[in-house]
Amino acid sequence: GAPGGVRVDLAEAYYRMNQPQEAAAALSGVEGRLSELHRTLMAEYLLYRLAGANPPSPDVVQAGLPYWQAVAERFRETPYGAALYADVVEMMKQGTDTHG
């Protein structure tokens, strides 16, 4: 019953702990209920990576990516920052892919 944004954060935590089933379960039902663009991007990205959903659209990537780039930079000296940076690179690829 947690708000969608909290569920995205929980899903990301599970994803980082290599618990993909729990991450996917945390995202169940959050699509279309998120008002924060960066969380929309993370939710769509995680569903793409974990559940075979479509990748995030270039528009969603463009809108949400600056937040995740800043977080990756802020934590660049940590394992979390390095892992997030790898995901940011993948998100950037999705943002330039016009074929979906």
Side-chain angles (χ1 to χ4, degrees):
V6 173
R7 292 175 58 189
V8 173
D9 291 348
L10 178 61
E12 186 192 3
Y14 280 132
Y15 175 72
R16 303 280 172 221
M17 294 186 306
N18 198 27
Q19 296 181 13
Q21 293 172 331
E22 292 84 349
L27 291 171
S28 177
V30 300
E31 292 178 284
R33 296 180 35 210
L34 299 169
S35 60
E36 298 165 301
L37 296 174
H38 67 281
R39 287 204 169 98
T40 298
L41 172 57
M42 184 58 75
E44 290 186 12
Y45 176 73
L46 291 176
L47 287 169
Y48 163 67
R49 295 293 302 243
L50 299 170
N54 289 328
S57 71
D59 290 344
V60 169
V61 173
Q62 183 178 9
L65 192 62
Y67 175 88
W68 296 113
Q69 288 171 317
V71 173
E73 175 62 24
R74 182 179 322 137
F75 295 105
R76 72 177 179 262
E77 301 296 326
T78 69
Y80 171 69
L84 181 58
Y85 179 77
D87 289 328
V88 164
V89 169
E90 187 63 30
M91 289 175 191
M92 289 170 53
K93 290 178 188 174
Q94 296 303 319
T96 60
D97 182 6
T98 59
H99 300 95

